[in-house]
């Protein structure tokens, strides 16, 4: 099909400006000789305290020791960064007690402000565009740290787990805590013999000495800080390699009880699901694959990079491969391509949900169109579901079910508008075009217009931004027309996969009313 280059529509052009260009650098441009404090936030209106200004991190080296019996975490974090302005002072996001900070090898002054700001003043101001190393020594009990009354750290009967969105790093390592500043990671954790430490990427080494075992993990592609994970406990571990040679490591708490079998029956299909997703989204973007299920009371799952976190309750009603599909889809949509700002969450969650619809289609349990028809009919016009705008839901509705289901309806509308050939070209091309980077809703609209050669502003405005149920005519254009054909009050038949997919609605319920986050 001939594709013509098209200037982005007004909607796409306006959305491209959602996060100012200076936000990535953290502050307006400074002259090379001027030294000023880095901003205490990166510029995200949803979470003003998240991230910091004035520098970009390239690598985190975390050397940790964790005692499960007491929840004591001791750490030395070495952070490699580049200054983006002359800095008299800069911040890291962190909550645990700090003993010492060094900048470029020299002791630096530091103080705390608010719940999570570590303010660091180096001996000498830092020049713009210079490499800088920051070493932070710290110790504390993550479960005792509360920010706005909540914690991202899970205590378990045999250890602890860090896995939350949009923030978990603050509880276990200092960072520039926003997806705009991604970095590579080395995580080395010493735990009592007989206990394991699970993190992202590839296990580089394991060694024991004097009753302690050290596990060293490497994640060699840029990774957002909230996607870094740590799980300490006693696990049954399975390992394998994919047909392409990727290492696969899955870990299951030894005390999952009745959920153990269903969890394994789901997560042991990780490699199969990833192979199928490669056909939809293109080559798998990372150096490792897997998943883990610790013994936590939560009900959600999270796309922690290369190794998603799953709560045992996801499998309380039996095996559910759909949740594995959801979290693995995020490896492309959310992890490799991360949000520019948290308002862009649809570019993560709408696509992960739609991947579940595509899996249903593949498995013969209901097509994506049948699921779209059913979801459209399920919510009457006066349902609050339609008042949430997936393209900019607000921090209190960032993880509302409408971001997922109405977000998936938007993709079905796009598919029907531009046809399967262009639609699947968009799904596969987008992760390649923005690999290891960040992108916004506006970027996606522009990309879809470029591939299809069509102006799509009205379609995306209807499905992502208008706080009302699209009219039957719009639904018919989108293909979700059965509801209007079968008469008032009636619904299309429930697709066979719907309940399994609906059972994963709690993937977005991270324990706080109205969503999860600070």
């Amino acid at each position: 099909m001939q594709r013509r280059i098209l200037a982005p529509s007004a909607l796409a052009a306006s959305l491209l400006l959602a996060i100012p260009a200076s936000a990535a650098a953290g502050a307006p441009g400074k002259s090379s000789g001027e030294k000023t404090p880095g901003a205490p936030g990166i510029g995200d209106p949803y979470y003003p305290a998240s991230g910091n200004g004035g520098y970009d991190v390239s690598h985190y080296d975390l050397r940790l020791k964790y005692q499960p019996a007491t929840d004591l975490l001791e750490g030395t974090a070495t952070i490699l960064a580049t200054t983006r302005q002359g800095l008299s002072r800069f911040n890291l996001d962190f909550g645990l007690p700090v003993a010492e900070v060094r900048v470029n090898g020299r002791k630096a002054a530091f103080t705390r402000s608010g719940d999570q700001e570590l303010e660091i003043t180096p001996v000498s101001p830092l020049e713009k565009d210079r490499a800088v190393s920051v070493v932070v020594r710290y110790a504390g009990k993550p479960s005792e740290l509360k920010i706005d009354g909540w914690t991202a750290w899970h205590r378990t009967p045999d250890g602890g787990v860090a896995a939350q969105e949009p923030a978990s790093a603050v509880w276990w390592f200092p960072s520039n805590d926003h997806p705009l500043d991604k970095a590579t990671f080395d995580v080395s954790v010493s735990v009592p013999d007989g206990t394991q430490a699970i993190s992202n990427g590839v296990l580089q080494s394991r060694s024991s000495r004097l009753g302690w075992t050290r596990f060293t993990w490497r994640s060699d592609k840029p990774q957002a800080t909230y996607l870094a994970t740590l799980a300490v406990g006693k696990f049954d571990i399975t390992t394998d390699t994919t047909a392409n040679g990727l290492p696969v490591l899955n870990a299951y708490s030894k005390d999952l009880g009745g959920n153990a079998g269903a969890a394994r029956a789901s997560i042991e299909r990780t490699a199969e699901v990833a192979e199928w997703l490669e056909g939809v989204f293109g080559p798998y973007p990372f150096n490792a694959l897997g998943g883990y299920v610790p013994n936590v009371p939560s009900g959600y799952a999270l796309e922690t990079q290369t190794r998603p976190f799953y709560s045992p309750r996801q499998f309380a009603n039996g095996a559910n491969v759909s949740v594995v599909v959801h979290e693995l889809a995020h490896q492309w949509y959310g992890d490799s391509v991360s949000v520019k700002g948290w308002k862009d969450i649809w570019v993560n969650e709408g696509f992960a949900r739609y991947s579940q619809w595509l899996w249903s289609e593949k498995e013969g349990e209901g097509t994506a169109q049948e699921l779209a028809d059913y979801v459209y009919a399920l919510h009457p016009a006066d349902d609050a579901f339609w008042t949430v705008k997936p393209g900019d839901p607000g921090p209190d509705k960032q993880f509302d079910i409408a971001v997922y289901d109405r977000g998936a309806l938007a993709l079905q509308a796009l598919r029907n508008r531009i046809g399967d050939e262009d639609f699947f070209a968009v799904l596969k091309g987008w992760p390649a075009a923005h690999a290891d980077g960040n992108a916004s809703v506006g970027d996606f609209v522009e990309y879809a217009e470029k591939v299809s050669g069509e102006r799509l502003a009205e379609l995306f405005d209807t499905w992502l931004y208008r706080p009302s149920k699209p009219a039957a005519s719009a639904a018919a254009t989108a293909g979700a027309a059965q509801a209007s054909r079968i008469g008032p009050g009636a619904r299309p038949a429930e697709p066979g996969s719907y309940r399994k997919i609906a059972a994963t609605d709690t993937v977005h319920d991270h324990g706080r009313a109205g969503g999860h986050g600070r």
Side-chain angles (χ1 to χ4, degrees), residues 176-237:
N176 194 17
D177 195 16
H178 191 277
L180 270 177
D181 196 359
K182 299 162 74 170
T184 55
F185 279 76
D186 284 319
V187 180
S188 182
V189 190
S190 184
V191 294
D193 285 349
T195 303
Q196 293 111 329
I198 307 295
S199 191
N200 311 82
V202 174
L203 182 63
Q204 300 291 106
S205 64
R206 172 179 174 172
S207 60
S208 295
R209 184 173 182 270
L210 301 177
W212 291 81
T213 301
R214 180 167 291 279
F215 296 81
T216 300
W217 298 85
R218 172 165 292 172
S219 197
D220 68 351
K221 289 289 186 75
Q223 176 174 286
T225 47
Y226 85 95
L227 297 172
T229 191
L230 175 64
V232 176
K234 296 181 179 180
F235 296 95
D236 287 328
I237 293 176

Side-chain angles (χ1 to χ4, degrees), residues 298-351:
S298 61
Y300 65 92
L302 184 63
E303 62 270 20
T304 41
Q305 193 159 306
T306 72
R307 188 152 293 109
F309 158 93
Y310 302 93
S311 296
R313 284 207 333 246
Q314 284 290 320
F315 312 103
N317 295 319
N320 193 346
V321 180
S322 191
V323 70
V324 178
V325 172
H326 185 105
E327 301 309 330
L328 289 182
H330 275 310
Q331 304 306 303
W332 287 262
Y333 282 82
D335 293 9
S336 179
V337 185
S338 300
V339 297
K340 280 185 177 176
W342 282 109
K343 73 192 294 290
D344 299 310
I345 191 65
W346 171 75
V347 184
N348 293 11
E349 300 300 349
F351 292 79

Side-chain angles (χ1 to χ4, degrees), residues 447-463:
Y447 186 80
E449 289 185 330
K450 178 181 176 181
V451 171
S452 68
E454 297 192 37
R455 294 191 180 276
L456 301 168
E458 184 176 356
L459 182 147
F460 283 107
D461 185 55
T462 296
W463 293 97

